[in-house]
């Protein structure tokens, strides 16, 4: 085995078009549903993991700030899985830089745990396949399983640790896949930290929401519809089913006890603006995650015009608005 050392990995955020919402197994992070996502180029995390010679605890910084408490425990738990597999006891020094506003529903946990899995595995001397890295990243945060891959990725729910992994969706000819025709306009309405974690909100949805099982019952059909739309390069069909799936997910948590509602007045204004953009001829469909921000699926060639239209429309009522135009991004990159 290699002597444990250091490695750096970059992983890009992904946004689910067909969502993961609810666990079948909490310890292994096995989801109730499969999910489908687009990995994004402009939003990513770069993480360096260095295993140290001296005994002690893991030390983690994110954007220069020390990480403590529950977030540190989750990182240590993932490092423990790597140490166990590599036969290591050494603590790690982890340095992470994010271009994603942390914990604002912009999937920073996806890029963060994918980069951590890639860097930790390489630094420990393990040589893992992309599928094994996807399974490892999943243990940190479910959505991270998809950020191992670029473009469109599907996370198969599976029934155990071995069968729950993501892989690329075959979306057309080499180098000219459908993912390259897509863009997401991210409407950052509030970059603050969320008050209810996605973990807690999905647990409440599964355990208490009368809307949850109906959402799951319709989910497989929505995923099949999305995959068929991708195979036919049909953005309108993909957008329609993605928006319906996201609205359904938010309906499950609103009907939970206690109710969880991540969407703010600004989110609702953004949703109305997206519907109006569509009515005036733009390809534009909304999706939202565990936060107030709205991401708008569109075509790569209309993304800049749509961004301008939405900004003009929303700026008077949402002065804090920031927008990010993103396109399909690459999979995990590791450098030792
Ligand atoms: O991976 P987590 O625990 O951050 O959960 C992510 C859940 C959603 O972002 C809301 C949906 C998804 O599939 O990414």
């Amino acid at each position: 085995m290699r002597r444990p050392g250091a490695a750096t990995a970059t992983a890009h955020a992904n946004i689910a078009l067909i969502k993961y919402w609810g666990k079948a197994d909490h310890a292994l992070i096995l989801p109730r549903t499969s999910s489908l996502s687009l990995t994004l180029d402009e939003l990513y995390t770069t993480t360096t993991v260095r295993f140290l010679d001296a005994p002690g605890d893991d030390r983690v910084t994110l954007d220069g700030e020390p990480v403590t408490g529950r977030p540190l425990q989750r990182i240590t738990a993932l490092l423990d899985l790597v140490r166990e597999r590599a036969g290591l006891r050494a603590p790690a020094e982890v340095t992470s830089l994010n271009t994603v506003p942390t914990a604002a529903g912009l999937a920073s946990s996806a890029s963060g745990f994918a980069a951590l899995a890639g860097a930790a595995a390489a630094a420990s001397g393990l040589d893992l396949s992309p599928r094994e890295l996807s399974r490892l990243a999943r243990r940190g945060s479910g959505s991270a399983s998809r950020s191992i891959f670029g473009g469109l990725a599907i996370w198969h729910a599976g029934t155990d640790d071995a069968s729950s992994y993501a892989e690329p969706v075959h979306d057309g000819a080499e180098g000219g896949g459908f993912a390259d025709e897509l863009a997401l306009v991210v409407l950052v309405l509030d970059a603050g930290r969320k008050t209810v974690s996605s973990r807690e909100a999905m647990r409440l949805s599964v355990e208490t929401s009368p809307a949850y099982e109906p959402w799951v019952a319709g989910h497989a059909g929505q995923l099949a519809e999305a995959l068929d739309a991708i195979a036919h390069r049909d953005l309108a069909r993909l957008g329609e089913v993605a928006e319906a799936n996201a609205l359904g997910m938010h309906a499950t948590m609103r009907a939970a006890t206690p109710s969880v509602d991540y969407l703010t007045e600004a989110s609702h204004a953004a949703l109305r603006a997206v519907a109006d953009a569509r009515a005036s001829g733009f390809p534009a469909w909304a999706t939202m995650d565990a936060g107030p921000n709205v991401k708008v699926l569109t075509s790569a060639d209309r993304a800049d015009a749509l961004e301008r239209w939405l900004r003009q429309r929303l700026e008077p009522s949402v002065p804090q608005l920031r927008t990010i135009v993103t396109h399909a991004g690459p999979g995990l990159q590791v450098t030792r």
Side-chain angles (χ1 to χ4, degrees):
M1 202 200 328
R2 281 179 76 250
R3 203 168 161 273
T8 298
T10 296
H12 289 244
N14 72 77
I15 295 294
L17 301 176
I18 300 293
K19 307 290 186 188
Y20 148 54
W21 192 250
K23 292 178 178 64
D25 183 310
H26 289 260
L28 290 173
I29 311 196
L30 304 180
R32 286 289 308 275
T33 59
S34 298
S35 53
L36 169 77
S37 61
L38 180 67
T39 298
L40 304 175
D41 58 355
E42 281 80 3
L43 307 177
Y44 56 87
T45 303
T46 298
T47 297
T48 299
V49 173
R50 182 183 308 281
F51 285 103
L52 305 170
D53 282 333
D57 295 329
D58 296 324
R59 290 199 305 264
V60 182
T61 61
L62 174 59
D63 296 330
E65 298 289 324
V67 176
T68 58
R70 183 73 192 121
L72 175 62
Q73 282 171 16
R74 286 179 64 185
I75 290 166
T76 289
L78 193 83
L79 290 167
D80 284 345
L81 292 173
V82 172
R83 280 187 282 250
E84 203 176 291
R85 239 173 122 160
L88 274 179
R89 294 169 72 104
E93 186 182 76
V94 179
T95 323
S96 196
L97 293 174
N98 234 337
T99 65
V100 189
T102 301
L106 283 186
S108 60
S109 68
S111 55
F113 278 105
L116 179 68
S124 76
L126 289 174
D127 189 15
L128 301 186
S129 67
R131 182 172 296 181
E132 288 172 308
L133 285 169
S134 174
R135 287 169 48 207
L136 177 62
R138 189 196 81 226
R139 303 288 294 273
S141 186
S143 55
S145 64
R146 301 182 307 240
S147 272
I148 300 299
F149 303 100
L152 291 158
I154 180 168
W155 171 20
H156 303 286
T159 52
D160 57 12
D161 176 47
S163 57
S164 188
Y165 56 82
E167 63 182 353
V169 173
H170 297 292
D171 64 344
E174 282 291 312
F178 184 51
D180 296 333
E181 295 175 17
L182 304 177
L184 271 192
V185 178
V186 183
L187 303 174
V188 186
L189 306 163
D190 179 357
R193 273 187 172 270
K194 59 194 174 205
T195 47
V196 187
S197 67
S198 57
R199 200 163 276 222
E200 176 64 3
M202 65 176 84
R203 188 187 65 76
L204 288 169
S205 303
V206 175
E207 291 176 8
T208 73
S209 175
Y212 184 72
E213 292 303 332
W215 180 75
V216 171
H219 197 281
Q222 289 183 320
L223 178 60
E225 168 74 5
L227 290 171
D228 193 60
I230 289 167
H232 290 91
R233 295 178 174 249
D234 189 335
L235 173 57
R237 265 173 71 210
L238 178 62
E240 270 162 36
V241 72
E243 188 172 285
N245 181 265
L247 288 169
M249 178 186 86
H250 283 269
T252 70
M253 58 187 112
R254 282 195 75 164
T257 310
S259 175
V260 179
D261 190 357
Y262 288 115
L263 306 182
T264 61
E265 300 250 318
S267 315
H268 289 288
L271 290 177
R272 282 192 298 274
V274 171
D276 290 349
R278 197 158 65 223
S280 66
F282 281 103
W285 294 270
T287 186
M288 303 80 71
D289 295 288
N293 300 313
V294 173
K295 299 107 192 182
V296 190
L297 179 67
T298 188
S299 64
D301 60 350
R302 301 293 301 281
D304 289 330
L306 176 64
E307 184 270 340
R308 280 194 301 276
W309 194 97
L310 289 169
R311 197 150 37 81
Q312 267 176 14
R313 165 70 185 266
L314 284 167
E315 251 164 8
S317 58
V318 190
Q320 75 278 16
L321 179 71
R322 261 187 60 215
T323 57
I324 311 169
V325 178
T326 66
H327 303 87
L332 181 76
Q333 292 149 305
V334 181
T335 48
R336 281 186 206 259

